[in-house]
Amino acid sequence: MPTPVATSTGAPAAHALRAEWIKLTTLRSLWITPLLALVLTAGVTTAIGAALGDKDHSLTDDPGVGIFYGLNFGQAALICFGILLIGQEFNTRMIDVSFTAVPRRGRLYGAKLTLGALVGLVVGAAGTAGAFAGYAATVPIEWDGPAFVRTAVAGVLYQTLLVVLCLGTAALLGNLTAAMGLLVPSLFLLSPLLSGVPGVRRVVQFLPDRAGQYALRYADDPAVAYGHWTGLLIMALWTALAAYGGLRALRRAT
């Protein structure tokens, strides 16, 4: 008896997502990196707040800087996580096995993007809550107002978008080493350094991490050409572009 259409089109997608979940929970490199991101984001913020909260005014003049100080370190682990979700399969050629198990590459890629976004969302929510709690325990902070709500929401979404952005870029490049070599130094080191260079900052502020992190700030910066929410939208557009590029590359891969 023929299998019903609903089952043949719906079940494989769920199976693909379940397979990606099994990979995440069984491969140590995959589940350790988001856990490390969570610990660094909340832990470093708490430690810095306790040590310098009453001495370093940059942490208190704009509370967003102090609250997400740990994210500067935690995002390195999130970058690695997004890349590893697909990049390690390219380097070990296990991607061929995945293509055989899930012939529809869009479905396979969609499962990876869904899992990455969900993990990023959970880590983002927990990391943001931990960062706020750690900062509040060490530095006085105002818990009300639109800036607080925006910063909290942006903290969750920034980390979610970052994972998807890195996953899409890794799929586009088709190589773990190339993705690591491009994204880790660019987002963790090069982009923050260039943002302090006069003239260059006008261009760098439109890079995904710079735009997304602007949404985390309480205060307005007259040197930035857009608003806080627009910064998050710019990052979302970069993320969508990377995700689409990754899909096109996977469909052309042999």
Side-chain angles (χ1 to χ4, degrees):
M1 183 176 181
T3 303
V5 173
T7 303
S8 63
T9 57
H15 292 168
L17 183 58
R18 182 171 181 272
E20 294 304 318
W21 171 254
I22 292 173
K23 293 176 189 177
L24 171 66
T25 55
T26 55
L27 293 175
R28 184 179 301 176
S29 59
L30 285 182
W31 64 262
I32 281 183
T33 44
L35 181 61
L36 181 61
L38 173 59
V39 171
L40 287 173
T41 299
V44 172
T45 291
T46 304
I48 292 298
L52 301 174
D54 58 346
K55 302 173 184 176
D56 188 346
H57 293 294
S58 68
L59 300 176
T60 55
D61 291 343
D62 187 334
V65 175
I67 293 168
F68 290 105
Y69 190 92
L71 183 59
N72 295 315
F73 303 89
Q75 71 172 355
L78 283 177
I79 293 168
C80 293
F81 172 67
I83 295 171
L84 287 171
L85 275 173
I86 193 169
Q88 64 179 0
E89 293 191 42
F90 282 115
N91 276 34
T92 60
R93 295 315 305 170
M94 286 298 295
I95 193 68
D96 296 330
V97 178
S98 297
F99 287 158
T100 302
V102 187
R104 293 189 178 182
R105 298 186 179 187
R107 180 168 291 172
L108 171 66
Y109 187 54
K112 290 183 179 293
L113 288 176
T114 300
L115 181 64
L118 289 175
V119 172
L121 189 65
V122 171
V123 173
T128 298
F132 268 92
Y135 187 78
T138 55
V139 182
I141 181 176
E142 294 292 336
W143 289 97
D144 55 359
F148 163 73
V149 175
R150 171 179 47 76
T151 300
V153 172
V156 177
L157 296 180
Y158 173 83
Q159 296 176 73
T160 306
L161 290 171
L162 183 63
V163 172
V164 177
L165 172 71
C166 294
L167 196 163
T169 304
L172 176 62
L173 296 176
N175 186 282
L176 183 147
T177 305
M180 287 284 189
L182 172 66
L183 292 173
V184 174
S186 296
L187 299 179
F188 185 62
L189 181 62
L190 187 61
S191 179
L193 289 176
L194 291 177
S195 65
V197 179
V200 179
R201 183 183 182 184
R202 294 182 180 179
V203 177
V204 174
Q205 66 179 306
F206 290 96
L207 293 179
D209 62 315
R210 295 295 91 197
Q213 287 190 23
Y214 184 59
L216 309 180
R217 304 292 180 253
Y218 269 50
D220 295 326
D221 185 347
V224 177
Y226 45 79
H228 295 283
W229 284 119
T230 304
L232 202 63
L233 177 60
I234 291 171
M235 184 181 185
L237 291 175
W238 276 101
T239 301
L241 184 63
Y244 178 71
L247 176 61
R248 292 291 300 270
L250 273 187
R251 285 177 169 169
R252 292 196 305 266
T254 57

